[in-house]
Amino acid sequence: MSPPLPALEEARTLLAGARRVCVLTGAGISAESGVPTFRGKEGLWRNHDPMTLATPRAFAEDPQLVWEWYDWRRSLVLACTPNEGHRALVRLEERVERCDIVTQNVDGLHRAAGSTRVHELHGQLFVNRCTACDRQREVRSSGLDGLPHCSACGVLERPGVVWFGEALPHEPWAAASQAMTTSDLVLVVGTSALVYPAAQFVPTARAADVPIIVVNPERTDHVALADHHLAGPAGQVLPLLID
Ligand code: BV8
Ligand code: ZN
């Protein structure tokens, strides 16, 4: 049963008039696919806080532990498929002039659903990157047989994601910034608005008078900046918002 959404009709009207839409997504859009959110209690692994594991320091101190965490997440995500929320965004892309998905997620589910303009600000879970020569390779499996090393130079590989304290990759950031500043509507789905610089996109859009719709069961800092808050799960709300 869908939650009561008093703002739904107004949000639908707002979206119906948009030609270029930018969608900022976070872990919440993948929750209904079975991917634990970053800060939800189900995200805990062996009682380690993701915030301490997703750091260069944790990897330097114990690469085995960090690789076991990422390998566990890979095994989880490999069993997950895109949900109705991801699929509604694919339909949105087919309906408007331009739809950019700016995601903080590393699970690859937007691409798996069929979205084609996806900017992955925090990297990709299924990529290994060499810590010496930066060579990258896709690894669509899980299971650790010792620590992975680069086939070109033999040095230890790391997960191809952005850790706390690391700069975001230039190309996705530039593409996301361009999309955010040239859109006529911003849709914010499933993010706690706690992680920067991604979270900053919403105040920036507000300052540029771009209309904002937030889809999240909870209130976040972004709700105060939004024209509409649709307080429900993305897998139920987005199919109601997007025909
Ligand atoms: C940077 C990849 C600068 C890894 C991630 C001190 C030291 C260093 C940096 C900082 C510092 N203080 C602040 C910072 C900046 C820091 C930051 O923002 N910290 C915060 C937490 C205080 N940011 C950084 O470090 C960034 N880099 O600043 O670099 C710099 C510049 C130049 C040169 C050098 C350095 C890097 C940030 C990227 C970190 N990597 N992920 C991995 O995945 O392992 S971030 C991680 O958090 C995930 O990507 C996740 O997506 C992201 C954000 O979280 P959310 O997506 O919002 O998920 P969350 O669980 O929090 O919330 C889920 C939401 O969904 C909730 O609101 C919930 O209500 C909702 N929900 C639940 N179910 C549903 C739902 N919504 C809809 N439907 C549902 N069904
Ligand atoms: Zn290498």
Side-chain angles (χ1 to χ4, degrees):
M1 171 56 187
S2 304
L5 295 169
L8 180 62
E9 280 318 309
E10 288 173 71
R12 282 172 54 86
T13 304
L14 200 55
L15 185 61
R19 292 181 304 123
R20 293 180 312 282
V21 179
C22 196
V23 191
L24 174 67
T25 68
I29 195 167
S30 296
E32 289 154 278
S33 294
V35 182
T37 61
F38 222 69
R39 285 167 190 78
K41 59 186 179 318
E42 77 290 356
L44 279 184
W45 172 76
R46 296 187 200 165
N47 289 324
H48 286 286
D49 177 359
M51 297 295 291
T52 57
L53 282 181
T55 62
R57 179 175 175 176
F59 187 71
E61 285 174 358
D62 192 341
Q64 179 70 29
L65 177 74
V66 172
W67 262 117
E68 285 174 10
W69 180 47
Y70 280 94
D71 189 57
W72 172 73
R73 290 173 64 189
R74 284 179 175 175
S75 63
L76 269 184
V77 174
L78 282 168
C80 297
T81 54
N83 64 58
E84 287 309 314
H86 296 104
R87 283 194 278 274
L89 294 180
V90 175
R91 290 197 300 278
L92 178 62
E93 180 177 322
E94 291 157 1
R95 213 186 72 191
V96 295
E97 185 182 297
R98 195 196 72 203
C99 176
D100 285 86
I101 308 285
V102 175
T103 189
Q104 300 170 86
N105 300 342
V106 297
D107 57 33
L109 290 180
H110 283 299
R111 291 184 197 283
S115 290
T116 61
R117 290 174 70 99
V118 182
H119 312 299
E120 289 160 315
L121 297 179
H122 296 161
Q124 299 175 55
L125 182 60
F126 294 102
V127 167
N128 285 18
R129 188 169 81 234
C130 177
T131 56
C133 73
D134 243 11
R135 184 189 178 101
Q136 302 203 51
R137 66 187 175 104
E138 191 171 353
V139 178
R140 294 270 343 156
S141 61
S142 65
L144 275 183
D145 179 15
L147 292 179
H149 287 76
C150 175
S151 59
C153 73
V155 174
L156 178 64
E157 290 178 323
R158 56 168 282 174
V161 298
V162 179
W163 283 327
F164 288 99
E166 294 186 321
L168 273 56
H170 173 72
E171 192 281 326
W173 178 257
S177 304
Q178 166 73 11
M180 278 286 172
T181 52
T182 57
S183 289
D184 46 27
L185 184 125
V186 169
L187 189 52
V188 184
V189 185
T191 180
S192 58
L194 295 175
V195 174
Y196 286 82
Q200 186 59 32
F201 276 129
V202 178
T204 305
R206 177 78 284 162
D209 282 334
V210 178
I212 296 162
I213 298 170
V214 169
V215 176
N216 192 324
E218 291 174 356
R219 285 189 68 80
T220 68
D221 287 350
H222 288 159
V223 171
L225 303 171
D227 296 76
H228 300 298
H229 175 208
L230 302 179
Q236 292 180 31
V237 172
L238 289 178
L240 297 172
L241 180 64
I242 299 162
D243 289 329

